[in-house]
Amino acid sequence: MIIYSGVGYLTFIIFIVPLVVLGSLLNRLGIDILESPSWWPLHSLIILGAILTFGIGSFLNRKMLEETTFEKSGPVRVLRPRHTLYYIRMEYWGPILLVVYFAFIAYRSFR
């Protein structure tokens, strides 16, 4: 079950699209990013996906959603982000997924 608000469901898609699109373009040029002796093409595409997720997320969340609740003391305004995934703002998922990716790579290389 995916819990999102706004277009938060696009977070993982935005993170993976540069890997798929640019990876296929590089494959047509003769650079297979998964079988190359150097890991820099794969790492750079993952970093590009994280930057793209952060950039699009911060652009979409530049205006906050305003909720007004009425209490005894009067109306209380609460500002919330418009686009979230699992209650985490969309732009924070770029660095989170980048840290998870590099933690996995570090674990795999020291195993």
Side-chain angles (χ1 to χ4, degrees):
M1 183 173 160
I2 297 177
I3 302 170
Y4 66 91
S5 67
V7 293
Y9 63 91
L10 292 176
T11 302
F12 294 128
I13 296 170
I14 292 171
F15 185 76
I16 297 297
V17 162
L19 180 67
V20 173
V21 171
L22 293 176
S24 64
L25 289 175
L26 287 174
N27 194 15
R28 289 182 191 236
L29 293 175
I31 301 171
D32 189 5
I33 63 170
L34 297 177
E35 293 184 7
S36 69
S38 173
W39 282 92
W40 74 265
L42 180 63
H43 293 327
S44 61
L45 290 178
I46 293 293
I47 290 171
L48 179 66
I51 291 171
L52 193 63
T53 303
F54 180 79
I56 290 175
S58 17
F59 177 74
L60 291 175
N61 278 330
R62 69 188 183 277
K63 292 184 183 176
M64 301 294 275
L65 183 65
E66 182 178 324
E67 279 187 359
T68 304
T69 57
F70 296 97
E71 296 180 0
K72 288 183 179 182
S73 61
V76 177
R77 286 192 221 158
V78 178
L79 297 176
R80 294 185 317 126
R82 291 181 183 266
H83 309 287
T84 62
L85 179 67
Y86 295 110
Y87 306 109
I88 300 173
R89 293 173 68 132
M90 191 173 169
E91 62 262 24
Y92 296 155
W93 278 104
I96 289 171
L97 292 172
L98 191 64
V99 166
V100 167
Y101 172 74
F102 280 119
F104 176 72
I105 293 299
Y107 170 74
R108 187 171 174 218
S109 67
F110 291 120
R111 186 173 57 138

